[in-house]
């Protein structure tokens, strides 16, 4: 009968899906992707915070995609666009651990639309121009039965009339359509608005609790601000503030030292180069207590650091030495002091003939992972700590006027960006509009201008984050790429 025919067809399809899912296990997939993880892991991008954050966010989404592939019966696959910064290999290097150049990396974007681990792994490696030879041995060794291997090599391929007769969707046609159709902002919002609203409503009580805890602790400790280095979820942030609140109750006397400061929850405890109190989220109260007790010594070191910056400024014609949290790695006060001290000693010995105050109004940051000076689009000089003093002098003189123009343009862009953010938030009745640190002011301005040309009723009351990819965060925030289509 027709029912039996359809049932037999479905049984065959399910058996085929089962056998295909066995071609590569989750552990094998991780092993196969090791060259990829080595090339994109955020820990290797410590000196490049923008690229590090992009890779962190993309890895989260990739891991979610891989987890879904391993869930039995999971069918709702949508093309997932990912962007990674991939560290470049030196062309003639034979040592894997030393085969990446000091500052070379490239941006790679690709879309995942595969429905099994093996195809996904191969797509990722091929997209990043990484070898796939090692995958063959993994694939063979992971076959549970010889019968399974022979079946996979002879997949069931139904005639097109089968799909038109039964009404089932042709997987090849779906795949071709997914490859042809590029994700657009409107289509993505249409697909994800309901999910985001549900998550946002669920997070509202926690958001209120977070705001209450932040206000209470800031007032009680007389803090300038409370921040988070990473984009942890609301529940995680509440837990961290509860921990700090308990410490306040237990040891109120040691917290006198933190008045007027900014507290940052991050990966390690100490004081940052910017002078903020860092509380490591993996540390226990004992470690936090020690940091608060050491704060007077940190403040003494900070005064020495500021004096060192002034001396460097005097030697370089009045140019201001700055530290930009969004663009530089999160350094401790001790690490930054050592960097400044080494650079100062090098300058002092070279005796560069800069005219006093000739470079006043200009700015520079020190970087330890570069070998040649450069001028950032925002107007500040990026100076390597190992830079040759004579080359440094020539570069600063040659680029001084351009730097002043960039600084003036930066101020104008920041004003424009702020106005566009406020206008966009009001136009779409957004509860919040913000961007990731890796998104530049120019990118944010372009994004907001194009948003204002659209009609987007989906955004009312939402939290919208401008990023480099599409995503719905666990607390309901909508992430869209700044260069959305």
């Amino acid at each position: 009968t027709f029912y039996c025919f359809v049932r037999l067809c479905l049984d065959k399809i399910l058996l085929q899906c089962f056998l295909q899912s066995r071609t590569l296990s989750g552990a094998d997939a991780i092993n196969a992707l090791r060259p990829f993880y080595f090339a994109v892991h955020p820990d290797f991008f410590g000196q490049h915070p923008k690229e590090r954050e992009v890779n962190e966010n993309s890895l989260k989404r990739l891991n979610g995609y891989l987890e879904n592939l391993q869930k039995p019966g999971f069918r709702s696959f949508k093309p997932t666009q990912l962007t990674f910064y991939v560290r470049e290999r030196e062309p003639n290097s034979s040592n894997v651990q030393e085969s990446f150049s000091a500052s070379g990396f490239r941006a790679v974007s690709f879309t995942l639309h595969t429905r099994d681990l093996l195809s996904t792994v191969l797509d990722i490696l091929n997209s990043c121009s990484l070898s796939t030879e090692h995958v063959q041995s993994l694939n063979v060794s992971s076959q549970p039965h010889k019968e399974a291997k022979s079946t996979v090599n002879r997949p069931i391929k139904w005639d097109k009339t089968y799909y038109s007769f039964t009404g089932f969707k042709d997987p090849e046609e779906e795949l071709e359509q997914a490859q042809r159709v590029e994700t657009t902002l409107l289509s993505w919002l249409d697909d994800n608005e309901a999910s985001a609203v549900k998550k946002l409503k669920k997070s509202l009580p926690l958001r209120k609790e977070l705001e209450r805890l932040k206000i209470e602790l800031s007032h009680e400790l007389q803090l300038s601000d409370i921040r988070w280095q990473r984009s942890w979820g609301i529940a995680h942030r509440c837990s961290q503030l509860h921990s700090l609140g308990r410490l306040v109750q237990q040891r109120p006397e040691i917290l006198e030292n933190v008045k007027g400061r900014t507290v940052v929850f991050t990966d390690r405890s100490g004081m940052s180069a910017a002078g903020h109190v860092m509380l490591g989220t993996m540390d226990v109260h004992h470690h936090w207590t020690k940091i608060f007790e050491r704060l007077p010594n940190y403040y003494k070191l900070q005064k020495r650091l500021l004096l060192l910056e002034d001396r460097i400024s005097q030697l370089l014609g009045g140019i201001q030495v700055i530290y930009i949290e969004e663009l530089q790695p999160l350094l401790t006060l001790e690490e930054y002091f050592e960097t400044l001290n080494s650079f100062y000693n090098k300058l002092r010995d070279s005796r560069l003939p800069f005219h006093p105050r000739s470079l006043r109004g200009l700015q520079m940051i020190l970087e330890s992972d570069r070998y040649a000076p450069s001028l950032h689009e925002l107007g500040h000089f990026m100076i390597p700590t190992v830079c040759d003093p004579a080359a440094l002098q020539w570069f600063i003189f040659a680029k001084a006027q351009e730097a002043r123009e960039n600084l003036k343009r930066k101020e104008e862009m920041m004003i424009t960006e702020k106005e566009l953010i406020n206008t966009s938030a009001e136009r779409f009745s957004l509860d919040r509009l913000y961007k990731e640190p890796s998104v530049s002011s120019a990118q944010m301005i372009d994004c907001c201008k194009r948003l204002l040309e659209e009609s987007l009723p989906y955004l009312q009351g939402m939290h919208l984050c401008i990023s480099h990819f599409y995503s719905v965060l666990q607390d309901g925030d909508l992430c869209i790429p700044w260069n959305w289509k």
Side-chain angles (χ1 to χ4, degrees):
T1 65
F2 175 75
Y3 173 78
C4 293
F5 168 73
V6 172
R7 180 61 182 268
L8 176 62
C9 294
L10 289 176
D11 287 344
K12 287 183 178 180
I13 293 172
L14 291 173
L15 175 62
Q16 172 68 7
C17 292
F18 171 74
L19 291 174
Q20 284 186 340
S21 69
R22 296 295 299 273
T23 60
L24 205 65
S25 68
D28 285 335
I30 296 299
N31 287 332
L33 287 172
R34 279 186 177 179
F36 165 74
Y37 287 129
F38 184 75
V40 304
H41 199 283
D43 287 351
F44 293 110
F45 289 81
Q47 303 297 315
H48 304 278
K50 169 188 172 182
E51 289 77 13
R52 175 189 176 102
E53 183 173 2
V54 170
N55 283 10
E56 280 180 348
N57 291 325
S58 293
L59 278 175
K60 289 178 186 177
R61 301 178 67 229
L62 173 60
N63 290 336
Y65 190 94
L66 294 176
E67 288 174 7
N68 285 336
L69 282 176
Q70 300 172 69
K71 291 178 181 178
F74 190 87
R75 298 181 182 178
S76 178
F77 283 96
K78 296 178 181 177
T80 300
Q81 186 175 358
L82 298 173
T83 297
F84 286 99
Y85 285 94
V86 181
R87 298 193 296 146
E88 292 278 28
R89 291 176 181 270
E90 295 288 0
N92 299 321
S93 177
S94 59
N95 187 320
V96 173
Q97 294 296 330
E98 299 176 356
S99 61
F100 290 99
S101 58
S103 60
F105 48 79
R106 56 193 167 88
V108 174
S109 295
F110 54 90
T111 301
L112 294 179
H113 40 62
T114 47
R115 293 171 179 254
D116 65 275
L117 281 174
L118 176 57
S119 300
T120 302
V121 168
L122 292 174
D123 272 5
I124 294 170
L125 294 174
N126 286 325
S127 298
C128 297
S129 301
L130 297 171
S131 173
T132 60
E133 293 180 4
H134 63 290
V135 181
Q136 302 303 322
S137 58
L138 287 170
N139 186 28
V140 172
S141 64
S142 63
Q143 299 295 339
H145 302 289
K146 291 183 179 178
E147 294 81 5
K149 182 180 178 182
S150 63
T151 307
V152 172
N153 289 336
R154 294 186 290 104
I156 298 173
K157 189 177 179 74
W158 302 102
D159 189 88
K160 298 293 182 182
T161 55
Y162 163 74
Y163 298 106
S164 60
F165 183 74
T166 61
F168 294 123
K169 293 183 178 179
D170 183 349
E172 290 185 0
E173 188 177 319
E174 279 190 298
L175 180 58
E176 290 174 2
Q177 186 178 2
Q179 291 172 332
R180 289 195 305 267
V181 178
E182 186 177 14
T183 301
T184 65
L185 177 61
L186 288 173
S187 65
W188 185 83
L189 288 174
D190 189 46
D191 291 339
N192 293 275
E193 185 256 350
S195 170
V197 169
K198 183 178 179 181
K199 290 180 178 180
L200 181 61
K201 286 182 178 178
K202 186 178 179 181
S203 73
L204 289 178
L206 275 176
R207 289 179 186 271
K208 292 180 180 179
E209 173 71 359
L210 178 66
E211 188 65 21
R212 182 187 66 81
L213 288 169
K214 186 176 178 181
I215 292 174
E216 287 183 359
L217 281 172
S218 297
H219 177 73
E220 187 172 1
L221 299 177
Q222 299 181 40
L223 298 176
S224 174
D225 194 11
I226 298 177
R227 300 179 191 169
W228 285 265
Q229 180 198 5
R230 301 190 185 281
S231 53
W232 284 298
I234 304 296
H236 196 170
R237 297 188 181 200
C238 284
S239 176
Q240 292 159 1
L241 292 184
H242 278 299
S243 294
L244 180 58
R246 285 193 295 272
L247 182 59
V248 171
Q249 299 300 322
Q250 296 167 6
R251 298 291 302 276
E253 71 283 355
I254 63 169
L255 300 178
E256 289 290 323
N257 298 328
V258 81
K259 286 182 179 179
R261 294 282 168 169
T262 293
V263 168
V264 181
F265 290 97
T266 181
D267 294 331
R268 51 180 175 166
S269 298
M271 178 168 276
S272 73
H276 303 325
V277 180
M278 301 189 302
L279 299 181
T281 57
M282 300 302 291
D283 292 339
V284 295
H285 282 181
H286 175 69
H287 294 102
W288 289 5
T289 300
K290 283 189 173 182
I291 293 301
F292 287 122
E293 289 174 343
R294 292 175 189 163
L295 284 180
N297 291 329
Y298 278 124
Y299 297 154
K300 292 178 183 177
L301 180 60
Q302 189 180 27
K303 288 181 179 179
R304 292 175 58 195
L305 185 147
L306 294 174
L307 181 61
L308 205 51
E309 288 181 339
D310 286 341
R311 289 176 176 173
I312 292 173
S313 176
Q314 291 171 8
L315 291 174
L316 293 178
I319 190 170
Q320 182 185 8
V321 184
I322 61 174
Y323 176 84
I324 305 176
E325 290 179 281
E326 294 81 7
L327 300 179
Q328 294 180 256
L330 187 65
L331 300 176
T332 64
L333 198 66
E334 299 94 328
E335 291 168 343
Y336 190 48
F337 181 85
E338 289 301 318
T339 299
L340 286 172
N341 194 45
S342 173
F343 184 71
Y344 169 71
N345 291 331
K346 190 173 186 177
L347 280 180
R348 183 186 57 188
D349 296 340
S350 67
R351 299 180 180 276
L352 293 176
F354 280 98
H355 189 279
R357 296 184 296 280
S358 60
L359 299 177
R360 286 188 66 180
L362 297 181
Q363 299 174 341
M364 61 166 278
I365 65 173
L366 281 176
E367 293 196 332
S368 58
D369 66 331
R370 292 178 179 266
Y371 294 93
S374 62
L375 178 63
H376 195 276
E377 60 180 1
L378 296 181
H380 57 268
F381 288 95
M382 304 168 73
I383 307 300
T385 54
V386 296
C387 185
D388 175 66
L392 171 64
Q393 179 187 13
W394 176 88
F395 184 82
I396 292 179
F397 280 148
K399 296 287 186 178
Q401 183 57 35
E402 184 180 349
R404 295 186 190 279
E405 293 171 358
N406 286 4
L407 282 171
K408 183 178 180 181
R409 192 180 306 114
K410 170 191 171 183
E411 293 177 2
E412 295 171 351
M413 285 178 60
M414 291 183 68
I415 294 173
T416 302
E417 179 186 17
K418 186 176 180 180
E419 291 175 348
L420 283 170
I421 289 175
N422 292 336
T423 303
S424 300
E426 183 178 350
R427 161 80 180 276
F428 300 113
S429 301
L430 287 164
D431 195 59
R432 186 187 180 203
L433 174 59
Y434 63 104
K435 68 174 185 176
E436 290 186 344
S438 55
V439 176
S440 68
S441 292
Q443 291 170 337
M444 188 66 173
I445 289 172
D446 176 71
C447 176
C448 289
K449 283 182 177 179
R450 292 190 299 115
L451 280 176
L452 289 169
E453 297 175 357
E454 301 291 327
S455 176
L456 302 170
Y458 306 95
L459 299 180
Q460 185 172 356
M462 301 302 294
H463 292 240
L464 182 63
C465 173
I466 308 303
S467 176
H468 296 273
F469 52 84
Y470 288 105
S471 179
V472 178
L473 301 185
Q474 61 183 343
D475 294 305
D477 294 47
L478 288 166
C479 289
I480 65 170
W482 68 270
N483 56 345
W484 53 269
K485 304 297 182 183

